[in-house]
Every structure is written in structure tokens, then in C-alpha cells.
């Protein structure tokens, strides 16, 4: 049981190392046996020259790793030592093309962000101008309405006389027929033709009361 657990643990470690090697892109994995009889996995050859190479790093992976680290000289040295000039030139061209693509993408993203910012700024200016125009129109309308209210307040108000003041009674024939008519005229003088001024005041909501 203990051996089975230890074997599973070693296998999981090996899988992790293999995953790390794949991510790094340029590591060989060796399974070695230590002097105490324990198994270990390393990216270096076993000290006694024995052991098992369980993952061989590809030449292209090794060159790519050097290039990703910005170590073109080491990539060139490795390629020359293994007579891989054609592979080196191929990987170098792909690496440089990738760098150019990344730089172009970043430049395009920066330009797009700048254009979005400029569009947002122009839209904000347009909205501000529209808001100012709307407020100006509202103020002008209120100013005209106030002017009309002031004009109405400045005009005198006329009291309409009762209907019987200006009416000629059926018994009216140009002269007084008896004391009754004389008394009636004395108590009800004819209406005045002069305007009667009543001061007006402005109420809430733009109403006027006179």
C-alpha cells in the first residue's frame, strides 16, 4: 500500500514537471535514482550518468525559449552548435513577426482608445451646447412672459357699469314724468366715462389678480 502511494506521488510529480516543461517550452526531464534509492525528477542529467530521459526538449522549443527571453545570441550559439541554421532563421523570423504583430495590435488598441476618448469628448461638448441652447430658449420664453405680465399690470382696469345705467327705461321720453322719475335719477346718477384704476398683483404660477 505504501509503495503504491509513493508511486502515485512520484507519478504526480512527474506530471507536474512535464507540464512545467511544456509551459517553459525548453526543458528536458530526467528520472534519476539517488544514492539512498529514492527517485527524483530533474531537468539535468543524472549525476551517475544513468537514469531515464522521459522528456526531450525540442530544438525549436529551445531556440524559441532563448528568443522569448531576448537572448538571440544564445539561440544563435545553440543553433550553430547543433547545425540548425535553417531552423534558427525560421524561428527568428517567426519571433520577430510575432513581436511586430504584438506592437501593431498595441498601437491599434491605443489609437482606438484615443478615438473613443475624442468621440466621448465631442459628444460631451455637443450635449453641453444643446443644454445651453435649451436653457437660453427657456429663459427667453420666461422673459417674454414676464414682459407680458408687466404690460398687463401697467394697464388700468375698467369696471363695467350695470346694465341699467346706460339703458333707457320705457317711460323715459326726454323729460321727467313726475317726482318718481326725478327721485330715481337723483339716487342713480349716470355712469362715469372715466376709467377706474384697480391695482393688480401677480400670483404664483404666473396668474394676475386685479
Amino acid at each position: 500500500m505504501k509503495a503504491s502511494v509513493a508511486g502515485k506521488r512520484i507519478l504526480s510529480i512527474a506530471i507536474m514537471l512535464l507540464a512545467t516543461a511544456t509551459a517553459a517550452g525548453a526543458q528536458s526531464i530526467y528520472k534519476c535514482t539517488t544514492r539512498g534509492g529514492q527517485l527524483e525528477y530533474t531537468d539535468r542529467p543524472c549525476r551517475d550518468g544513468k537514469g531515464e530521459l522521459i522528456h526531450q526538449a525540442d530544438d525549436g522549443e529551445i531556440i524559441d525559449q532563448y528568443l522569448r527571453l531576448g537572448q538571440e545570441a544564445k539561440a544563435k550559439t545553440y543553433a550553430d552548435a547543433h547545425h540548425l541554421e535553417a531552423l534558427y532563421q525560421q524561428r527568428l523570423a517567426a519571433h520577430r513577426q510575432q513581436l511586430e504583430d504584438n506592437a501593431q495590435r498595441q498601437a491599434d488598441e491605443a489609437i482606438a482608445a484615443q478615438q473613443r476618448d475624442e468621440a466621448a469628448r465631442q459628444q460631451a461638448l455637443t450635449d453641453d451646447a444643446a443644454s445651453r441652447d435649451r436653457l437660453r430658449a427657456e429663459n427667453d420664453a420666461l422673459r417674454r412672459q414676464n414682459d407680458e405680465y408687466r404690460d398687463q399690470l401697467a394697464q388700468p382696469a375698467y369696471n363695467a357699469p350695470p346694465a341699467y345705467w346706460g339703458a333707457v327705461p320705457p317711460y323715459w321720453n326726454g323729460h321727467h314724468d313726475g317726482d318718481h322719475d326725478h327721485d330715481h335719477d337723483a339716487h342713480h346718477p349716470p355712469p362715469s366715462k372715466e376709467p377706474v384704476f384697480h391695482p393688480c398683483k401677480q400670483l404664483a404660477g404666473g396668474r394676475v389678480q386685479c
Side-chain angles (χ1 to χ4, degrees):
M1 179 65 68
K2 293 182 178 180
S4 177
V5 173
K8 290 182 179 180
R9 182 178 180 184
I10 292 174
L11 180 59
S12 64
I13 295 175
I15 293 174
M16 291 176 60
L17 289 173
L18 286 173
T20 304
T22 303
Q27 290 182 354
S28 298
I29 302 299
Y30 297 86
K31 182 173 71 173
C32 305
T33 302
T34 64
R35 292 180 181 179
Q38 298 293 328
L39 289 178
E40 68 175 4
Y41 295 86
T42 177
D43 58 348
R44 301 175 183 275
C46 301
R47 295 179 181 179
D48 56 3
K50 300 179 181 180
E52 180 183 357
L53 178 63
I54 62 176
H55 174 74
Q56 174 64 55
D58 182 77
D59 291 329
E61 294 176 351
I62 296 175
I63 293 174
D64 287 343
Q65 184 183 35
Y66 282 131
L67 294 175
R68 283 195 299 269
L69 295 175
Q71 299 174 349
E72 291 188 12
K74 289 185 177 182
K76 182 69 167 58
T77 300
Y78 178 87
D80 292 343
H82 294 79
H83 308 287
L84 301 171
E85 180 63 25
L87 178 61
Y88 169 74
Q89 293 297 334
Q90 177 186 359
R91 304 312 302 165
L92 179 62
H95 174 69
R96 291 178 175 175
Q97 183 63 46
Q98 184 66 36
L99 292 179
E100 291 180 2
D101 293 342
N102 292 340
Q104 184 62 46
R105 183 173 63 255
Q106 292 177 358
D108 293 341
E109 291 175 354
I111 293 175
Q114 184 178 3
Q115 291 176 347
R116 288 193 298 269
D117 293 341
E118 180 63 22
R121 190 181 70 86
Q122 293 296 333
Q123 184 63 42
L125 293 176
T126 301
D127 294 341
D128 290 342
S131 179
R132 288 194 300 269
D133 293 341
R134 184 176 63 256
L135 291 176
R136 186 179 299 110
E138 293 176 356
N139 290 335
D140 291 342
L142 290 175
R143 189 177 297 108
R144 289 192 298 269
Q145 187 178 15
N146 290 335
D147 292 341
E148 293 176 357
Y149 287 160
R150 283 195 294 268
D151 292 342
Q152 293 176 3
L153 294 175
Q155 297 296 327
Y158 291 88
N159 280 343
Y164 63 84
W165 280 14
V168 179
Y171 51 80
W172 181 263
N173 55 8
H175 62 277
H176 298 289
D177 294 335
D179 294 340
H180 177 76
D181 293 336
H182 179 73
D183 294 339
H184 176 79
D185 293 337
H187 291 289
H188 300 282
S192 174
K193 296 181 179 180
E194 297 296 329
V196 179
F197 180 78
H198 289 274
C200 301
K201 61 180 179 179
Q202 185 173 354
L203 303 177
R207 296 176 300 166
V208 178
Q209 181 181 9
C210 299

